Amino acid sequence: PNFHPKNTGINPRKSPQSSTAKSAMKLGVLGAGAIGTHLGASHVLGGGTSVLVGRDRLLSCATSADASGVVLRAKKGHSRRLSTQVLNKHNEAQWHLKEGCLVTSDAAALRHCDAIFVCTKAQQVESAADTLRKALGDQLTTTPIVCCQNGFEAPEILRHKLEAEGATVDVWPLVVNFNVVWSGNTFVATTHEEVHAPAIPKLRAVYAALRLGGVRVVEHLPERMLAVQLAKTCTNLFNSINALSGLPVRETLLDEDFRALWIFAVQEALQVFRAGGTEPANIKVPVGLYSVLLACPTFLIRLVLASKLDATAKSSMLQDLEAGKTETEVDFLNLAVARLGAELDIPTPINSGLGQLVQGCAKHGKGSPHLSAKDVAKMLGLSDEALGYHRKQLARWVQLIVGCVLMNVVVVLAFL
């Protein structure tokens, strides 16, 4: 797959919200976990219908939520409720819900969907391709398939796997820019609900329903989606650091040495992405400013960043380690940067090292090692002085800015 198109900018387009969805599109979600169920339920709340293909935990959630429904809770506490009174039960693995939502473990239910969101973990994309081929049959070439994984490789891996037999398949990336914590029948968005999606006519009705269901959908020109994926990848490089720390995201962010490690990882990634011909997009904050912003004093980080995060939120990678899983998304984040760097002859010792550390932890299945930032830095071959480098650089910038402000004040006073 080619990961180096000459994308140097971004042209986001936000479609206006409408009072009703344009049509009752049927959205299929393969791998409906926390994110997939949240998106599928939001689509139903916005006027569409959804088929959620998940595992036993989702089926248990559907069957036990008759009285209270499935609750989607936004970061600011606003809740949306999807009533889940069971209308009929075809078999033990398939439930029809009251408001146009089918929960099932049978992927064959995806066959007549108008679009399919693949919400499995990135490491499960190849097996998802086999599932889709069997489930969709001749509809595989006419149904738009949307990849919702972290990283930038999953859509091409899925397309390559699906087109192995000569078919042409419509595969698109979608960047999910929020996290969800699943507890019982409640799905809590720990950050603001926002996705970045390609401006594809076939998907406009799905986007309209998602917006009405409470999700902010930002549309981009399709050729710019790789730039958006790379920007999100830079953000997700933090997941490996959080996994090694064993702490909630907020606590990890408030440690200036952990932030320094993130700075090093992002700088490596930017060098690799730019050498490959793609400038990461500016989703909220320009990725190039991460080094300056993350080097700010901790009290500012607390005010600007940490206050926007749920105190208990953990990265999915840390949750995977805690669950004893032997595979994590690090292979599609830090190690994906390392592979691309190797193709371009650019060394990536920080991302390679972080990826190998997480892989080692996952292999042993004993959860997070709960390392300090200095422990991680030592394993990566970084000195204490290296961790403090960016703080020194920031201090110089602050001195320069303060000097310029004072100089302007003196000039103004001189002319009064």
Side-chain angles (χ1 to χ4, degrees):
N2 177 19
F3 301 122
H4 322 302
K6 298 289 184 179
N7 294 336
T8 57
I10 188 165
N11 183 12
R13 294 192 296 168
K14 294 186 289 183
S15 296
Q17 295 191 17
S18 58
S19 57
T20 58
K22 292 181 180 179
S23 63
M25 291 276 287
K26 180 183 285 189
L27 172 66
V29 178
L30 176 62
I35 290 291
T37 301
H38 192 288
L39 291 174
S42 296
H43 185 257
V44 173
L45 290 170
T49 60
S50 294
V51 175
L52 307 182
V53 178
R55 296 185 178 178
D56 293 343
R57 185 183 177 191
L58 181 62
L59 294 169
S60 297
C61 173
T63 57
S64 65
D66 294 350
S68 56
V70 170
V71 179
L72 306 184
R73 184 164 294 148
K75 181 184 179 296
K76 292 185 178 181
H78 175 68
S79 295
R80 288 130 37 213
R81 188 180 300 275
L82 174 65
S83 174
T84 57
Q85 180 180 349
V86 177
L87 290 184
N88 62 71
K89 176 183 173 184
H90 285 296
N91 53 58
E92 292 184 356
Q94 189 173 96
W95 294 78
H96 276 293
L97 303 182
K98 184 176 178 181
E99 299 183 30
C101 187
L102 171 67
V103 176
T104 179
S105 60
D106 185 2
L110 297 172
R111 182 167 177 79
H112 298 292
C113 290
D114 299 299
I116 295 173
F117 282 12
V118 179
C119 295
T120 62
K121 292 293 181 71
Q123 60 268 26
Q124 299 166 341
V125 164
E126 290 198 24
S127 61
D130 294 332
T131 300
L132 287 172
R133 187 183 292 109
K134 294 176 184 176
L136 298 182
D138 57 0
Q139 292 184 4
L140 183 65
T141 58
T142 59
T143 305
I145 298 171
V146 179
C147 275
C148 304
Q149 289 72 30
N150 287 330
F152 53 91
E153 295 178 324
E156 289 301 325
I157 292 173
L158 183 63
R159 179 182 289 109
H160 180 74
K161 184 80 172 177
L162 290 174
E163 294 182 347
E165 297 178 4
T168 300
V169 184
D170 208 9
V171 179
W172 302 98
L174 182 137
V175 173
V176 179
N177 205 28
F178 67 101
N179 296 319
V180 174
V181 174
W182 179 0
S183 178
N185 68 323
T186 302
F187 297 78
V188 182
T190 59
T191 51
H192 297 294
E193 297 151 282
E194 178 182 275
V195 298
H196 293 256
I200 304 299
K202 288 183 180 180
L203 297 173
R204 288 288 170 79
V206 173
Y207 300 159
L210 285 174
R211 290 188 179 101
L212 290 171
V215 178
R216 181 172 183 259
V217 181
V218 183
E219 295 183 49
H220 301 265
L221 297 176
E223 62 269 23
R224 302 301 189 193
M225 282 303 299
L226 178 60
V228 180
Q229 288 178 278
L230 298 186
K232 181 63 170 17
T233 298
C234 286
T235 300
N236 289 139
L237 295 177
F238 173 78
N239 292 3
S240 58
I241 298 168
N242 178 240
L244 294 171
S245 77
L247 300 170
V249 170
R250 179 185 292 185
E251 290 184 42
T252 313
L253 272 175
L254 293 178
D255 186 311
E256 59 186 12
D257 290 332
F258 277 130
R259 297 200 303 273
L261 291 173
W262 190 11
I263 290 171
F264 286 129
V266 170
Q267 287 182 334
E268 275 188 1
L270 283 175
Q271 185 181 6
V272 170
F273 295 155
R274 288 166 176 166
T278 304
E279 178 70 23
N282 297 332
I283 297 180
K284 289 185 177 178
V285 177
V287 179
L289 291 181
Y290 276 28
S291 297
V292 174
L293 296 176
L294 293 173
C296 286
T298 297
F299 78 90
L300 288 178
I301 296 293
R302 188 186 303 274
L303 290 173
V304 177
L305 291 179
S307 63
K308 297 182 179 181
L309 295 172
D310 185 279
T312 61
K314 297 179 181 180
S315 68
S316 59
M317 198 178 296
L318 174 54
Q319 293 177 50
D320 285 345
L321 287 185
E322 291 177 337
K325 295 182 179 180
T326 57
E327 289 185 319
T328 72
E329 286 186 320
V330 75
D331 193 52
F332 291 83
L333 296 171
N334 303 81
L335 292 178
V337 172
R339 285 193 296 274
L340 190 52
E343 291 180 25
L344 299 169
D345 294 323
I346 297 174
T348 55
I350 303 302
N351 283 293
S352 297
L354 288 171
Q356 290 166 10
L357 287 173
V358 173
Q359 279 188 331
C361 294
K363 182 178 179 180
H364 289 94
K366 296 181 179 179
S368 170
H370 294 276
L371 298 173
S372 70
K374 287 183 171 55
D375 289 336
V376 176
K378 185 176 180 180
M379 293 177 179
L380 297 177
L382 295 171
S383 65
D384 291 345
E385 291 75 19
L387 285 179
Y389 168 77
H390 292 284
R391 293 193 292 278
K392 294 176 183 177
Q393 290 296 100
L394 178 68
R396 291 171 184 165
W397 277 106
V398 171
Q399 290 173 359
L400 177 62
I401 293 170
V402 170
C404 291
V405 171
L406 290 176
M407 184 178 297
N408 280 280
V409 169
V410 170
V411 171
V412 170
L413 292 176
F415 284 94
L416 290 178

PDB file of all heavy atoms in Angstrom, residues 181-198:
ATOM      1  N   VAL A 181     -16.043   5.381  27.412  1.00  0.00           N
ATOM      2  CA  VAL A 181     -15.918   4.381  28.475  1.00  0.00           C
ATOM      3  C   VAL A 181     -17.243   3.641  28.587  1.00  0.00           C
ATOM      4  O   VAL A 181     -18.301   4.259  28.739  1.00  0.00           O
ATOM      5  CB  VAL A 181     -15.558   5.049  29.826  1.00  0.00           C
ATOM      6  CG1 VAL A 181     -15.572   4.011  30.944  1.00  0.00           C
ATOM      7  CG2 VAL A 181     -14.189   5.714  29.740  1.00  0.00           C
ATOM      8  N   TRP A 182     -17.189   2.323  28.514  1.00  0.00           N
ATOM      9  CA  TRP A 182     -18.376   1.488  28.540  1.00  0.00           C
ATOM     10  C   TRP A 182     -18.509   0.858  29.919  1.00  0.00           C
ATOM     11  O   TRP A 182     -17.648   0.103  30.360  1.00  0.00           O
ATOM     12  CB  TRP A 182     -18.243   0.422  27.471  1.00  0.00           C
ATOM     13  CG  TRP A 182     -19.363  -0.567  27.361  1.00  0.00           C
ATOM     14  CD1 TRP A 182     -20.505  -0.622  28.106  1.00  0.00           C
ATOM     15  CD2 TRP A 182     -19.437  -1.654  26.434  1.00  0.00           C
ATOM     16  NE1 TRP A 182     -21.297  -1.666  27.715  1.00  0.00           N
ATOM     17  CE2 TRP A 182     -20.662  -2.320  26.693  1.00  0.00           C
ATOM     18  CE3 TRP A 182     -18.608  -2.122  25.436  1.00  0.00           C
ATOM     19  CZ2 TRP A 182     -21.055  -3.438  25.957  1.00  0.00           C
ATOM     20  CZ3 TRP A 182     -19.003  -3.222  24.710  1.00  0.00           C
ATOM     21  CH2 TRP A 182     -20.204  -3.870  24.956  1.00  0.00           C
ATOM     22  N   SER A 183     -19.590   1.177  30.601  1.00  0.00           N
ATOM     23  CA  SER A 183     -19.846   0.620  31.929  1.00  0.00           C
ATOM     24  C   SER A 183     -21.310   0.205  32.008  1.00  0.00           C
ATOM     25  O   SER A 183     -22.206   1.052  31.962  1.00  0.00           O
ATOM     26  CB  SER A 183     -19.539   1.651  33.024  1.00  0.00           C
ATOM     27  OG  SER A 183     -19.837   1.138  34.299  1.00  0.00           O
ATOM     28  N   GLY A 184     -21.569  -1.094  32.125  1.00  0.00           N
ATOM     29  CA  GLY A 184     -22.940  -1.587  32.159  1.00  0.00           C
ATOM     30  C   GLY A 184     -23.644  -1.274  30.852  1.00  0.00           C
ATOM     31  O   GLY A 184     -23.226  -1.700  29.780  1.00  0.00           O
ATOM     32  N   ASN A 185     -24.742  -0.505  30.933  1.00  0.00           N
ATOM     33  CA  ASN A 185     -25.465  -0.109  29.725  1.00  0.00           C
ATOM     34  C   ASN A 185     -25.224   1.359  29.382  1.00  0.00           C
ATOM     35  O   ASN A 185     -25.963   1.945  28.600  1.00  0.00           O
ATOM     36  CB  ASN A 185     -26.970  -0.352  29.912  1.00  0.00           C
ATOM     37  CG  ASN A 185     -27.584   0.578  30.953  1.00  0.00           C
ATOM     38  OD1 ASN A 185     -26.942   0.886  31.957  1.00  0.00           O
ATOM     39  ND2 ASN A 185     -28.800   1.016  30.730  1.00  0.00           N
ATOM     40  N   THR A 186     -24.174   1.937  29.972  1.00  0.00           N
ATOM     41  CA  THR A 186     -23.879   3.354  29.766  1.00  0.00           C
ATOM     42  C   THR A 186     -22.574   3.515  28.994  1.00  0.00           C
ATOM     43  O   THR A 186     -21.567   2.881  29.306  1.00  0.00           O
ATOM     44  CB  THR A 186     -23.783   4.090  31.116  1.00  0.00           C
ATOM     45  OG1 THR A 186     -25.003   3.927  31.824  1.00  0.00           O
ATOM     46  CG2 THR A 186     -23.520   5.574  30.907  1.00  0.00           C
ATOM     47  N   PHE A 187     -22.613   4.388  27.992  1.00  0.00           N
ATOM     48  CA  PHE A 187     -21.449   4.676  27.157  1.00  0.00           C
ATOM     49  C   PHE A 187     -21.126   6.166  27.332  1.00  0.00           C
ATOM     50  O   PHE A 187     -21.871   7.020  26.860  1.00  0.00           O
ATOM     51  CB  PHE A 187     -21.742   4.340  25.695  1.00  0.00           C
ATOM     52  CG  PHE A 187     -22.011   2.882  25.466  1.00  0.00           C
ATOM     53  CD1 PHE A 187     -23.250   2.331  25.786  1.00  0.00           C
ATOM     54  CD2 PHE A 187     -21.024   2.050  24.974  1.00  0.00           C
ATOM     55  CE1 PHE A 187     -23.500   0.984  25.602  1.00  0.00           C
ATOM     56  CE2 PHE A 187     -21.273   0.693  24.784  1.00  0.00           C
ATOM     57  CZ  PHE A 187     -22.507   0.157  25.098  1.00  0.00           C
ATOM     58  N   VAL A 188     -20.044   6.440  28.031  1.00  0.00           N
ATOM     59  CA  VAL A 188     -19.712   7.817  28.397  1.00  0.00           C
ATOM     60  C   VAL A 188     -18.580   8.336  27.513  1.00  0.00           C
ATOM     61  O   VAL A 188     -17.488   7.749  27.479  1.00  0.00           O
ATOM     62  CB  VAL A 188     -19.291   7.916  29.877  1.00  0.00           C
ATOM     63  CG1 VAL A 188     -18.988   9.360  30.250  1.00  0.00           C
ATOM     64  CG2 VAL A 188     -20.380   7.352  30.784  1.00  0.00           C
ATOM     65  N   ALA A 189     -18.846   9.419  26.800  1.00  0.00           N
ATOM     66  CA  ALA A 189     -17.802  10.077  26.005  1.00  0.00           C
ATOM     67  C   ALA A 189     -16.943  10.907  26.949  1.00  0.00           C
ATOM     68  O   ALA A 189     -17.438  11.833  27.597  1.00  0.00           O
ATOM     69  CB  ALA A 189     -18.435  10.962  24.946  1.00  0.00           C
ATOM     70  N   THR A 190     -15.664  10.561  27.058  1.00  0.00           N
ATOM     71  CA  THR A 190     -14.779  11.273  27.987  1.00  0.00           C
ATOM     72  C   THR A 190     -14.211  12.545  27.373  1.00  0.00           C
ATOM     73  O   THR A 190     -13.594  13.340  28.067  1.00  0.00           O
ATOM     74  CB  THR A 190     -13.628  10.362  28.439  1.00  0.00           C
ATOM     75  OG1 THR A 190     -12.886   9.925  27.291  1.00  0.00           O
ATOM     76  CG2 THR A 190     -14.164   9.141  29.176  1.00  0.00           C
ATOM     77  N   THR A 191     -14.375  12.707  26.071  1.00  0.00           N
ATOM     78  CA  THR A 191     -14.011  13.951  25.386  1.00  0.00           C
ATOM     79  C   THR A 191     -15.173  14.298  24.451  1.00  0.00           C
ATOM     80  O   THR A 191     -16.113  13.517  24.298  1.00  0.00           O
ATOM     81  CB  THR A 191     -12.710  13.790  24.573  1.00  0.00           C
ATOM     82  OG1 THR A 191     -12.812  12.627  23.731  1.00  0.00           O
ATOM     83  CG2 THR A 191     -11.504  13.632  25.489  1.00  0.00           C
ATOM     84  N   HIS A 192     -15.137  15.466  23.832  1.00  0.00           N
ATOM     85  CA  HIS A 192     -16.237  15.903  22.980  1.00  0.00           C
ATOM     86  C   HIS A 192     -16.396  14.963  21.781  1.00  0.00           C
ATOM     87  O   HIS A 192     -15.420  14.565  21.146  1.00  0.00           O
ATOM     88  CB  HIS A 192     -15.994  17.336  22.510  1.00  0.00           C
ATOM     89  CG  HIS A 192     -15.962  18.325  23.629  1.00  0.00           C
ATOM     90  ND1 HIS A 192     -17.066  18.611  24.383  1.00  0.00           N
ATOM     91  CD2 HIS A 192     -14.950  19.067  24.140  1.00  0.00           C
ATOM     92  CE1 HIS A 192     -16.748  19.508  25.310  1.00  0.00           C
ATOM     93  NE2 HIS A 192     -15.471  19.790  25.188  1.00  0.00           N
ATOM     94  N   GLU A 193     -17.642  14.628  21.459  1.00  0.00           N
ATOM     95  CA  GLU A 193     -17.950  13.644  20.419  1.00  0.00           C
ATOM     96  C   GLU A 193     -17.762  14.262  19.031  1.00  0.00           C
ATOM     97  O   GLU A 193     -18.564  15.078  18.594  1.00  0.00           O
ATOM     98  CB  GLU A 193     -19.384  13.155  20.601  1.00  0.00           C
ATOM     99  CG  GLU A 193     -19.595  12.431  21.920  1.00  0.00           C
ATOM    100  CD  GLU A 193     -21.013  12.549  22.433  1.00  0.00           C
ATOM    101  OE1 GLU A 193     -21.353  13.612  22.989  1.00  0.00           O
ATOM    102  OE2 GLU A 193     -21.765  11.584  22.278  1.00  0.00           O
ATOM    103  N   GLU A 194     -16.708  13.843  18.353  1.00  0.00           N
ATOM    104  CA  GLU A 194     -16.368  14.412  17.045  1.00  0.00           C
ATOM    105  C   GLU A 194     -15.706  13.362  16.186  1.00  0.00           C
ATOM    106  O   GLU A 194     -14.841  12.616  16.655  1.00  0.00           O
ATOM    107  CB  GLU A 194     -15.436  15.615  17.229  1.00  0.00           C
ATOM    108  CG  GLU A 194     -14.979  16.253  15.931  1.00  0.00           C
ATOM    109  CD  GLU A 194     -14.019  17.413  16.177  1.00  0.00           C
ATOM    110  OE1 GLU A 194     -14.501  18.527  16.405  1.00  0.00           O
ATOM    111  OE2 GLU A 194     -12.785  17.186  16.163  1.00  0.00           O
ATOM    112  N   VAL A 195     -16.117  13.293  14.922  1.00  0.00           N
ATOM    113  CA  VAL A 195     -15.452  12.418  13.957  1.00  0.00           C
ATOM    114  C   VAL A 195     -15.099  13.236  12.726  1.00  0.00           C
ATOM    115  O   VAL A 195     -15.763  14.226  12.403  1.00  0.00           O
ATOM    116  CB  VAL A 195     -16.327  11.210  13.561  1.00  0.00           C
ATOM    117  CG1 VAL A 195     -16.627  10.337  14.762  1.00  0.00           C
ATOM    118  CG2 VAL A 195     -17.614  11.651  12.881  1.00  0.00           C
ATOM    119  N   HIS A 196     -14.049  12.814  12.046  1.00  0.00           N
ATOM    120  CA  HIS A 196     -13.620  13.448  10.795  1.00  0.00           C
ATOM    121  C   HIS A 196     -13.796  12.428   9.685  1.00  0.00           C
ATOM    122  O   HIS A 196     -13.277  11.315   9.759  1.00  0.00           O
ATOM    123  CB  HIS A 196     -12.167  13.912  10.903  1.00  0.00           C
ATOM    124  CG  HIS A 196     -11.984  15.019  11.885  1.00  0.00           C
ATOM    125  ND1 HIS A 196     -11.790  16.332  11.508  1.00  0.00           N
ATOM    126  CD2 HIS A 196     -11.985  15.021  13.242  1.00  0.00           C
ATOM    127  CE1 HIS A 196     -11.677  17.084  12.583  1.00  0.00           C
ATOM    128  NE2 HIS A 196     -11.785  16.316  13.648  1.00  0.00           N
ATOM    129  N   ALA A 197     -14.546  12.813   8.653  1.00  0.00           N
ATOM    130  CA  ALA A 197     -14.996  11.853   7.653  1.00  0.00           C
ATOM    131  C   ALA A 197     -14.803  12.388   6.238  1.00  0.00           C
ATOM    132  O   ALA A 197     -14.787  13.603   6.015  1.00  0.00           O
ATOM    133  CB  ALA A 197     -16.479  11.533   7.889  1.00  0.00           C
ATOM    134  N   PRO A 198     -14.677  11.475   5.267  1.00  0.00           N
ATOM    135  CA  PRO A 198     -14.562  11.916   3.870  1.00  0.00           C
ATOM    136  C   PRO A 198     -15.902  12.398   3.343  1.00  0.00           C
ATOM    137  O   PRO A 198     -16.952  11.841   3.672  1.00  0.00           O
ATOM    138  CB  PRO A 198     -14.106  10.651   3.147  1.00  0.00           C
ATOM    139  CG  PRO A 198     -14.656   9.535   3.974  1.00  0.00           C
ATOM    140  CD  PRO A 198     -14.600  10.008   5.399  1.00  0.00           C
TER     141      PRO A 198
END
